[in-house]
Amino acid sequence: MGQPQKPIVGEQHIISLGRILQRLRDEDNVDVLIETTISYLKEQFDYKLIWIALYDRLNHILFGKGGVTPDNDTVFLRQRVVLNPGDLLEQVVIQQNPLGVADLQTEIRAAEWRKVAQKFHIKGTILLPIRYKDRCLGLLLLGSERWGYLLTGEAKARLMMVIGELGAVLYQNEMDLQHKQTKRSDEPLLELLENLRTLTNLNQRLEAAVQGTHKFVSPSRTNIYWFEREGRYFWCRMSNQLVKLDRNSSSQQAAGMTVQDLSDFYYALTVNQIVSIGDARSSLKSHFTAKLLQRLNVRSLLAAPIIWQKDLVGFLAVESNEPRIWTDTDKNFVQGVAGLISLVASTESMESTIKQIQEDAQLTSQVAQGIYSEHDLQETLHSCAKRVLARLGATRFLLLQYNPEQNNYQFIYQNQPYNRRSLTFTLDTLKELDGQLLQRSTQAVEIENLDEDLRFFNWRPLLLKNGVRSLLICKCTHEHIPVALLVITHETHRSSTTLEKELLWAVGQQIGVIVRQWQLHNRTTQQQKVSQAFEQCLRILTQSQNSKIEVKKKHLERTALEQIASILGCPLAVLLSWSPNESWAEIIPGVPDNSQFGVFSDASIPIQSEALIQWALVTESYLTLKVDDLPPETRKWLNVPNKGQILVMALRTNADYENTGVVLLADYQERPWSEQSLSATATLISQLAWWRREKQITRLLESTTEELRQLNWYKHRRLEEIQRITALSLKQIHDLGIPTNELTQMRYQLLLRQLDHTATSMSGMLKLEQWQLHISWETMPIASLLKRSLERIENLLKQQKLWLGIHGLGQQIEAEESPKNSSLAKGVPSSSSQSAMAIAGDIVKIELVIHELLVTACNRSQTGGRIDIWCRRLDTSKILDANPSSSTVEADHQTSLELSITYNGAIEPQLLTELHDNTPKDVLAHSNLDQPPGLHLVICQNLMQELGGELNFYQLPDNRVVSRLLLPLIGHDS
């Protein structure tokens, strides 16, 4: 057998690698593992500096475990290194990736190792994390005198395999050690539970819980703190050092700790969160952690809440005077003991809790009975409020109702001690977040400390100002914006139990029914008041139409004002009244004088300069004002209290009609008026306006009728006398006989016939037209009618030197012919042509209309001017085309005569507008048709409509005025 061959270099490396890996797997001692690894690295790699350290992840520290240095001094390699942010060592530990440094002597991020590198002339350095999976277990540092840090692929692979195997072994050793050191909490908890079952007194049970916890966790102190809701503070009820403490003890351990001092710690306990404060670790904010440790005079703290039925009863605390890292086992055990305490603590107050539940059920039952009984709602609320305040130990019972018109909450019921004043302010509407909070809640929302809590923030200033420090609030209805809210307030910081919140919720839902009944009652009362006001106003109208009832002047207006004021409950109501075309308003008081108001009834108020009147006239509906809005001129005749409010509304009927008054209502103070009341008030004021207008029109028409009747009676009696005298004169003439002279006899007979005709026509008028017009039917050629009409105005034409021309009768008066130089008869066609056109109707009345038109033309023409009369025959279609709006001409084959009188003269545009048929007329307003000549023209216009004709007035572009008359013509076969 020959000599074995010496292995090549590559094979030696693989053999050495296999040996070191096997040794690492077989070794359990950490120090031996580290030494074995260092020996391998020293043997296989040419590095002058080798350092291995293990990582303490809890304290973020590296513990040096040894290595190799050029001078064999390894003391500093076993030191503890604290990792600082930004260091190279922390970067490798955190990122768990290898890191190379070309020259360690110049690396500023490795301060301590920089000095070592300068001492041993180390340059190229490699930092490798010792890791297993995602967990860093330590760090390897390799330093060389050469610059740079590159490794060959084969050397790098061997190094990573050794480091990986070392990490796996270290991880397994750490898990084994942790498993051996872990305390089991199940057996101590079962032992404690069995111990608690044998004890009957709560304090004994608490003592056993404290002793068992202290034995298992081994802290410096173990305490149980109890929570007092009235005052919101904790006191030490049990401790392993001082047993059976009470809240009145003067010991430092029993001293109370307020919620305000504990702050975040308290809120963490209320949500059933365990609080852990250890060495450099805390479940609370850092700034509060130091404050809490200082308050308890400890360095470490572990606290578990004691909760029963969602309410915080207290907490179990284990406290240490040294920094300590609390294990999961410690936390689970303390939390389990706290749960056992919550179970045994409930038995102490079981009887009182049952009794309280019975009383709460009785309370809610009595509220429900009060709702459906015949008792007054105020009495029901009073009884409910007293019991709720006594049950919760509260100060104020507040019921709020939302006012959509003012967008705020108002107090509709309050109950508080006799030495507390009622709240008089209003609260703004809820913010969106607060509204959503109430919408989602199924029990009363609690504000334990109003000074610190940000909920209902816009209510805080007013509530704090009135002594409120904590409150309970719940919705009584389920609308998007709750219509009613129930608020219970305390003057101290207080925490309420879940049972109390649920009780208030149940009471609030029943009070919601009361609020609905209240609203329905108020609405019904308001509707009854409005109905009575409308009924009374209708009665007033009935009285005004009854002629047998003597009504004093202005009495009806005052009565109507009283009814209008009763709807809004206003103590003052006046009417500022005036007639059309007047400049001053009169004050008509509607409600008896009140000592708090001052109205100078005898004052005359200028309509154009009074601000209240002008404001009301330009406002379409009503207008509400504050006293501060009144100008000094108004305050001279109207005195209203400083906190009062005013409503004004004009007596408006139609946009085309003039306003004749303004209603003014005033109240002592600013208070909300419901939309329903305001709408009813506006309706009654509008009805009052129409009623006043009808009364004014009626009075005007009655006055006009009275005058016309007197005038007609006077003229009729005068005509009777004239007729009598005329008949007597004719009789005397007949008795004297006929003169003998032939010429005189002829003229005498002619005059007698004229007198006989006049007397006969006068007799017919007196007999048939005493109180109404009688329409007769006659025919007459238009030429004869014009001739008779022109004879009546011959003197007027001569006086004003007017030129007159007639056109369209077959023979025309020449325009150059002057009336003063020729006879009017020459302008009228002869008898042969006169029969060409004849009109039918009441000739006497038509003649009077034509005469009125000619007189108007003469009076409005300038001296020396010209008047033209145009005549033409029209058929029905031409008439309709000429005046499509005409409603008096029937669509048949009857022909008509268009008679137009034109002249150059002045006429008021307003008069032409008012003479138009389609223009609405306000009877009470001033009109040009109320007096001549407009009155005469409109009479003629109406008369022609009754006679089957038509009369229109208009002005041509050349400023000539036209009076266009349509008259019915008769045919040749008529």
Side-chain angles (χ1 to χ4, degrees):
M1 185 173 179
Q3 292 284 337
Q5 294 182 357
K6 186 176 181 179
I8 61 177
V9 177
E11 293 177 350
Q12 291 177 352
H13 290 332
I14 295 175
I15 293 172
S16 297
L17 177 62
R19 290 173 182 171
I20 187 64
L21 293 177
Q22 187 62 41
R23 290 178 62 183
L24 292 176
R25 294 189 190 101
D26 296 339
E27 188 58 56
D28 294 331
N29 190 291
V30 175
D31 292 334
V32 175
L33 288 171
I34 298 299
E35 291 297 331
T36 302
T37 304
I38 292 174
S39 298
Y40 175 78
L41 295 175
K42 181 179 179 181
E43 178 185 348
Q44 297 293 324
F45 298 94
D46 185 16
Y47 284 99
K48 300 298 182 180
L49 179 62
I50 300 174
W51 179 59
I52 294 180
L54 297 181
Y55 175 58
D56 182 1
R57 66 181 180 279
L58 296 178
N59 298 308
H60 202 46
I61 296 175
L62 289 174
F63 292 96
K65 302 300 288 186
V68 176
T69 61
D71 61 356
N72 296 322
D73 183 9
T74 61
V75 176
F76 76 93
L77 297 180
R78 296 185 179 277
Q79 295 179 354
R80 187 178 69 171
V81 178
V82 178
L83 297 178
N84 297 317
D87 289 350
L88 289 178
L89 301 182
E90 189 200 41
Q91 181 178 346
V92 175
V93 169
I94 298 299
Q95 297 181 359
Q96 299 186 24
N97 291 320
L99 181 65
V101 179
D103 189 354
L104 186 59
Q105 298 180 21
T106 60
E107 181 56 58
I108 61 176
R109 293 179 295 170
E112 297 296 332
W113 289 100
R114 184 180 178 185
K115 297 178 181 178
V116 175
Q118 292 174 355
K119 178 180 179 181
F120 298 119
H121 307 289
I122 300 300
K123 291 187 178 180
T125 305
I126 297 176
L127 299 173
L128 299 168
I130 303 173
R131 57 188 294 268
Y132 181 77
K133 295 183 178 179
D134 293 332
R135 189 167 183 175
C136 183
L137 302 170
L139 181 140
L140 171 62
L141 184 147
L142 299 175
S144 173
E145 294 179 349
R146 300 185 304 274
W147 188 90
Y149 50 83
L150 294 177
L151 283 174
T152 62
E154 182 267 341
K156 182 178 180 181
R158 288 187 288 117
L159 179 61
M160 297 305 295
M161 291 175 68
V162 172
I163 296 301
E165 186 64 28
L166 177 61
V169 175
L170 289 175
Y171 177 78
Q172 187 62 41
N173 290 342
E174 183 177 339
M175 291 296 102
D176 295 341
L177 179 61
Q178 184 176 351
H179 181 72
K180 293 178 182 179
Q181 294 177 348
T182 300
K183 296 182 291 185
R184 297 180 62 84
S185 61
D186 49 356
E187 294 180 0
L189 276 176
L190 291 174
E191 181 182 353
L192 177 59
L193 178 59
E194 185 65 26
N195 193 12
L196 293 177
R197 289 175 56 187
T198 60
L199 300 175
T200 58
N201 184 274
L202 179 61
N203 286 331
Q204 294 176 354
R205 292 174 173 176
L206 296 180
E207 181 182 356
V210 167
Q211 296 299 338
T213 304
H214 191 77
K215 179 180 178 181
F216 182 84
V217 183
S218 300
S220 300
R221 292 188 302 271
T222 302
N223 299 323
I224 293 179
Y225 293 90
W226 222 245
F227 180 52
E228 286 298 325
R229 299 190 174 279
E230 195 66 40
R232 298 175 75 234
Y233 69 91
F234 292 92
W235 60 282
C236 185
R237 181 165 183 172
M238 189 63 62
S239 175
N240 69 304
Q241 297 178 352
L242 299 173
V243 183
K244 297 182 181 179
L245 296 173
D246 57 48
R247 72 189 71 182
N248 298 321
S249 173
S250 60
S251 170
Q252 178 67 23
Q253 290 293 333
M257 297 180 296
T258 64
V259 170
Q260 188 172 3
D261 293 335
L262 299 179
S263 186
D264 293 359
F265 175 69
Y266 165 73
Y267 292 113
L269 295 178
T270 57
V271 295
N272 199 17
Q273 175 183 341
I274 189 170
V275 176
S276 173
I277 302 176
D279 188 10
R281 292 179 178 275
S282 174
S283 60
L284 301 177
K285 295 180 181 179
S286 58
H287 71 279
F288 181 76
T289 300
K291 179 181 177 182
L292 179 61
L293 295 178
Q294 183 181 4
R295 176 68 180 81
L296 297 175
N297 194 22
V298 296
R299 299 286 297 277
S300 301
L301 172 68
L302 183 62
I306 303 171
I307 292 180
W308 173 250
Q309 291 185 342
K310 301 180 182 180
D311 297 323
L312 182 65
V313 179
F315 65 92
L316 171 63
V318 290
E319 307 166 3
S320 177
N321 294 328
E322 298 297 332
R324 178 170 173 174
I325 298 176
W326 305 105
T327 64
D328 293 338
T329 304
D330 295 335
K331 297 176 183 178
N332 294 334
F333 185 84
V334 172
Q335 194 170 20
V337 174
L340 293 177
I341 295 174
S342 66
L343 292 176
V344 299
S346 62
T347 59
E348 181 187 34
S349 58
M350 188 64 71
E351 293 183 1
S352 61
T353 302
I354 295 174
K355 182 180 179 181
Q356 191 64 68
I357 293 174
Q358 293 175 346
E359 292 179 355
D360 293 346
Q362 184 181 6
L363 170 61
T364 55
S365 175
Q366 289 179 353
V367 175
Q369 291 176 3
I371 294 174
Y372 299 103
S373 66
E374 298 298 329
H375 296 296
D376 184 18
L377 295 180
Q378 285 282 354
E379 180 181 347
T380 302
L381 281 177
H382 180 75
S383 175
C384 172
K386 288 295 184 183
R387 295 176 63 86
V388 170
L389 292 179
R391 167 69 175 86
L392 302 180
T395 307
R396 295 182 184 272
F397 181 99
L398 306 174
L399 185 58
L400 287 76
Q401 186 175 15
Y402 177 69
N403 186 340
E405 299 169 4
Q406 299 187 4
N407 195 28
N408 60 16
Y409 280 94
Q410 301 171 356
F411 298 106
I412 59 175
Y413 178 80
Q414 301 184 53
N415 195 300
Q416 58 275 325
Y418 294 107
N419 58 351
R420 301 292 191 276
R421 294 182 179 179
S422 299
L423 304 181
T424 57
F425 53 85
T426 59
L427 294 173
D428 296 335
T429 186
L430 294 172
K431 299 297 183 182
E432 183 177 359
L433 291 178
D434 296 330
Q436 293 176 358
L437 173 65
L438 286 178
Q439 285 294 326
R440 295 191 301 265
S441 64
T442 56
Q443 63 181 13
V445 177
E446 181 181 20
I447 305 294
E448 298 183 13
N449 187 347
L450 192 60
D451 300 286
E452 298 178 353
D453 206 313
L454 297 180
R455 292 175 295 177
F456 305 98
F457 187 79
N458 55 333
W459 290 7
R460 285 178 59 192
L462 291 173
L463 295 177
L464 289 173
K465 184 179 179 181
N466 287 272
V468 177
R469 291 297 175 267
S470 61
L471 58 89
L472 288 169
I473 178 173
C474 68
K475 61 182 179 181
C476 301
T477 55
H478 297 277
E479 291 85 359
H480 178 65
I481 299 179
V483 175
L485 295 176
L486 177 60
V487 181
I488 305 298
T489 70
H490 298 80
E491 293 185 344
T492 60
H493 299 155
R494 186 182 187 277
S495 176
S496 301
T497 64
T498 303
L499 190 61
E500 292 172 339
K501 298 175 187 176
E502 292 175 350
L503 168 66
L504 190 63
W505 174 267
V507 173
Q509 298 308 298
Q510 293 177 346
I511 289 180
V513 179
I514 296 180
V515 172
R516 292 189 186 94
Q517 284 185 312
W518 214 336
Q519 292 174 339
L520 291 175
H521 174 73
N522 292 338
R523 190 174 303 169
T524 303
T525 303
Q526 185 65 31
Q527 289 176 349
Q528 290 177 350
K529 185 185 297 184
V530 172
S531 177
Q532 291 174 358
F534 275 92
E535 182 180 353
Q536 184 65 23
C537 286
L538 290 176
R539 188 178 297 112
I540 294 172
L541 295 179
T542 304
Q543 292 178 354
S544 65
Q545 299 299 329
N546 195 338
S547 59
K548 296 182 180 180
I549 300 178
E550 295 184 2
V551 182
K552 295 182 180 180
K553 186 179 181 181
K554 305 174 184 175
H555 173 72
L556 296 178
E557 286 89 343
R558 291 171 179 171
T559 307
L561 288 175
E562 290 179 4
Q563 299 305 317
I564 294 173
S566 67
I567 295 179
L568 297 179
C570 291
L572 177 67
V574 296
L575 173 63
L576 306 180
S577 175
W578 64 87
S579 298
N581 305 318
E582 288 186 352
S583 302
W584 299 87
E586 178 188 6
I587 299 177
I588 301 177
V591 176
D593 294 336
N594 191 290
S595 59
Q596 297 191 30
F597 296 91
V599 179
F600 296 96
S601 302
D602 298 333
S604 296
I605 303 173
I607 298 174
Q608 296 298 326
S609 61
E610 174 51 50
L612 275 182
I613 295 178
Q614 293 303 315
W615 291 343
L617 293 179
V618 298
T619 304
E620 184 176 355
S621 183
Y622 55 83
L623 176 66
T624 57
L625 303 166
K626 298 180 180 178
V627 177
D628 297 337
D629 300 331
L630 298 179
E633 292 76 10
T634 303
R635 291 175 178 265
K636 293 180 180 179
W637 61 269
L638 177 62
N639 184 19
V640 182
N642 293 331
K643 294 183 179 180
Q645 61 181 357
I646 296 172
L647 182 143
V648 291
M649 180 175 176
L651 295 180
R652 184 175 288 103
T653 52
N654 187 289
D656 298 322
Y657 298 159
E658 293 187 13
N659 300 317
T660 59
V662 170
V663 173
L664 184 149
L665 304 175
D667 202 353
Y668 299 115
Q669 58 185 1
E670 297 181 25
R671 58 184 179 89
W673 286 326
S674 67
E675 193 66 31
Q676 181 185 12
S677 300
L678 291 173
S679 177
T681 302
T683 301
L684 284 182
I685 293 177
S686 178
Q687 291 299 318
L688 176 61
W690 281 105
W691 174 79
R692 276 173 50 87
R693 174 176 172 80
E694 293 301 323
K695 287 294 295 180
Q696 291 174 344
I697 292 176
T698 301
R699 285 197 297 266
L700 176 63
L701 296 180
E702 287 177 351
S703 174
T704 304
T705 303
E706 179 95 12
E707 294 176 358
L708 292 178
R709 285 175 176 174
Q710 293 175 359
L711 179 63
N712 185 66
W713 171 83
Y714 166 73
K715 289 186 175 181
H716 200 81
R717 291 295 181 260
R718 289 283 295 169
L719 285 174
E720 288 179 346
E721 180 63 18
I722 294 174
Q723 191 270 341
R724 186 186 64 81
I725 296 175
T726 303
L728 181 60
S729 299
L730 284 173
K731 182 177 181 301
Q732 293 175 353
I733 292 175
H734 283 293
D735 291 343
L736 290 176
I738 300 174
T740 58
N741 187 293
E742 184 178 353
L743 179 61
T744 304
Q745 181 181 1
M746 184 181 62
R747 293 181 60 87
Y748 179 79
Q749 291 178 346
L750 179 61
L751 291 174
L752 280 178
R753 283 196 300 269
Q754 289 179 352
L755 285 175
D756 286 335
H757 178 71
T758 302
T760 302
S761 63
M762 195 177 300
S763 299
M765 182 189 69
L766 292 175
K767 180 179 180 181
L768 300 176
E769 298 182 308
Q770 181 176 358
W771 291 109
Q772 60 183 6
L773 293 177
H774 175 73
I775 306 300
S776 61
W777 186 261
E778 305 171 81
T779 61
M780 177 177 284
I782 185 61
S784 301
L785 184 61
L786 288 178
K787 182 176 181 181
R788 290 172 54 176
S789 299
L790 294 177
E791 289 175 351
R792 299 178 63 178
I793 64 168
E794 184 174 4
N795 293 331
L796 190 58
L797 292 173
K798 292 180 179 180
Q799 291 175 4
Q800 296 188 223
K801 301 179 182 179
L802 297 176
W803 299 77
L804 187 141
I806 300 177
H807 313 278
L809 290 181
Q811 183 176 350
Q812 181 180 353
I813 298 177
E814 296 298 331
E816 293 78 9
E817 185 180 359
S818 174
K820 62 181 180 179
N821 297 327
S822 62
S823 173
L824 285 172
K826 296 180 180 180
V828 180
S830 62
S831 58
S832 62
S833 62
Q834 288 179 3
S835 60
M837 288 187 294
I839 62 174
D842 195 322
I843 301 301
V844 175
K845 294 179 177 61
I846 294 176
E847 182 182 353
L848 291 176
V849 170
I850 296 175
H851 172 71
E852 186 68 35
L853 297 179
L854 291 174
V855 170
T856 301
C858 294
N859 292 334
R860 290 184 176 271
S861 297
Q862 298 179 357
T863 303
R866 175 166 182 153
I867 299 175
D868 292 295
I869 301 176
W870 303 85
C871 300
R872 65 169 179 166
R873 184 191 304 268
L874 293 179
D875 58 15
T876 303
S877 59
K878 291 183 180 181
I879 296 175
L880 293 175
D881 292 340
N883 187 12
S885 61
S886 174
S887 60
T888 59
V889 180
E890 297 181 356
D892 54 17
H893 295 87
Q894 176 181 343
T895 58
S896 299
L897 173 67
E898 180 187 56
L899 180 66
S900 299
I901 302 174
T902 62
Y903 60 92
N904 286 305
I907 188 171
E908 299 82 354
Q910 183 65 27
L911 178 59
L912 285 177
T913 302
E914 293 178 359
L915 287 172
H916 195 276
D917 291 339
N918 297 329
T919 303
K921 299 179 179 61
D922 185 0
V923 178
L924 298 177
H926 173 72
S927 174
N928 292 316
L929 305 182
D930 293 338
Q931 54 189 0
L935 177 60
H936 295 167
L937 295 179
V938 75
I939 291 175
C940 294
Q941 199 174 44
N942 295 333
L943 182 60
M944 287 309 304
Q945 290 182 354
E946 295 182 17
L947 296 177
E950 186 175 342
L951 176 60
N952 295 308
F953 303 92
Y954 55 92
Q955 195 166 17
L956 298 176
D958 59 0
N959 293 327
R960 284 187 300 165
V961 180
V962 179
S963 300
R964 180 174 177 269
L965 184 66
L966 291 181
L967 299 172
L969 283 176
I970 60 173
H972 293 285
D973 56 347
S974 299

